[in-house]
Amino acid sequence: MIAIGQASQQSGVNIETIRYYERVGVVPKPGRSTAGRRLYSVDEIAKLRFVKRCRDLGFPIPIIQTFLSFTGQEDRSCGEVETLAEDHLAQIDAKIENLARLREALLNLSKNCDDGTAACSMLDSLMRDSFGEAVAQKS
């Protein structure tokens, strides 16, 4: 049995994050020593590593919990896992498209910047777009 500090090192998961995962039920609460310290088994550390890899891929906790529920099933369907992964991939693609649009908009705004110290066309554009024409007209 391994203490939480070693479990953290072996799994790559921060100690506070391990405690959080236990509180929200991502991983079960480990056994305790007679002194009340958390003690982790090799299997529990493997689950923490699994959760970390899933989080590194951006999977939300409810999906990770679903994945974990599948791991103990001999007759689990890989199709269900594939569907969840494809849904996540579609969300990632949508975020990438949104970020590309944001990048293009910011590039266009910053191209309008002058090196002078008078008015800043980028800030003027942001003010106009954020607060409407009325605010921009008052300046």
Side-chain angles (χ1 to χ4, degrees), residues 12 26 29 32 38 62 67 69 93 109 125 127 139:
V26 175
K29 294 183 181 186
R32 300 259 181 173
R38 290 172 169 87
F67 286 166
S69 74
D93 288 339
L109 282 172
S125 292
M127 184 62 75
S139 354

Side-chain angles (χ1 to χ4, degrees), residues 12 27 31 60 109 115 126:
V27 294
L109 282 172
D115 288 334
L126 288 170

Side-chain angles (χ1 to χ4, degrees), residues 90-104:
Q91 291 172 6
I92 290 170
D93 288 339
K95 287 178 185 178
I96 290 171
E97 288 175 24
N98 189 40
L99 286 172
R101 282 192 298 275
L102 289 172
R103 182 180 189 283
E104 189 62 32

Side-chain angles (χ1 to χ4, degrees), residues 6 9-10 12 14 39 47 49 67 75 99 102 112-113 117 120-122 125 128 131:
Q6 288 179 306
Q9 289 176 342
Q10 290 182 16
N14 180 288
L39 295 174
K47 280 186 182 178
R49 272 193 226 106
F67 286 166
D75 61 341
L99 286 172
L102 289 172
N112 294 328
C113 286
T117 57
C120 176
S121 60
M122 180 175 169
S125 292
R128 199 171 32 256
F131 303 106

Side-chain angles (χ1 to χ4, degrees), residues 68-118:
L68 284 168
S69 74
F70 290 159
T71 60
Q73 300 175 9
E74 297 273 333
D75 61 341
R76 70 179 184 255
S77 169
C78 194
E80 293 175 74
V81 174
E82 181 182 21
T83 298
L84 292 169
E86 287 173 351
D87 289 347
H88 184 57
L89 188 56
Q91 291 172 6
I92 290 170
D93 288 339
K95 287 178 185 178
I96 290 171
E97 288 175 24
N98 189 40
L99 286 172
R101 282 192 298 275
L102 289 172
R103 182 180 189 283
E104 189 62 32
L106 186 54
L107 279 172
N108 287 334
L109 282 172
S110 65
K111 283 179 187 174
N112 294 328
C113 286
D114 293 331
D115 288 334
T117 57

